[in-house]
Amino acid sequence: MQIPVFAQTALLLVMSNVFMTFAWYGHLKTLSNKAWYVAAIISWGIALFEYLLQVPANRIGATQYSLAQLKIMQEAITLTVFVPFAMFYMDQPFKLDYVWAALCLVGAVYFIFRS
């Protein structure tokens, strides 16, 4: 059974976004007592795993989607990963602005994927 290109691309992008979100923001909680360069080195190490997933995701996606479609897909997935991360890991309150931002991204997805 062949997994559709969209599913392969989306799954790899979701997994890469989890790593990238932790690389970019996780240190604010877990390494706040360390020097910035320690946090940067650790974040870089985490980001390596993001790249190991993101690069194949974009290569697979590029067989069927345009560069703009891949970018909008990435941004929509980023918000989908970031909001739960912010709320559950970073203990940030839910904001209605997340809904409005998501609606804007839904519009972006619509316009970039329409024929």
Side-chain angles (χ1 to χ4, degrees), residues 3-4 7 16 21-22 28 30 55 88 96 110:
I3 300 172
S16 75
T21 301
F22 274 94
L28 296 174
T30 59
V55 169
F88 299 116
L96 202 53
Y110 169 76

Side-chain angles (χ1 to χ4, degrees), residues 50-91:
E50 185 266 345
Y51 279 95
L52 293 174
L53 295 166
Q54 183 268 346
V55 169
N58 282 332
R59 285 180 172 239
I60 292 166
T63 65
Q64 190 168 327
Y65 301 108
S66 71
L67 187 61
Q69 288 172 323
L70 285 172
K71 182 60 181 170
I72 295 300
M73 185 186 307
Q74 168 70 29
E75 294 303 328
I77 289 170
T78 297
L79 185 62
T80 304
V81 170
F82 179 77
V83 171
F85 169 84
M87 291 173 55
F88 299 116
Y89 185 76
M90 298 297 287
D91 300 319

Side-chain angles (χ1 to χ4, degrees), residues 9-19 53 57 74 77 80-81:
T9 303
L11 181 61
L12 286 168
L13 287 175
V14 166
M15 293 186 310
S16 75
N17 261 276
V18 169
F19 281 105
L53 295 166
Q74 168 70 29
I77 289 170
T80 304
V81 170

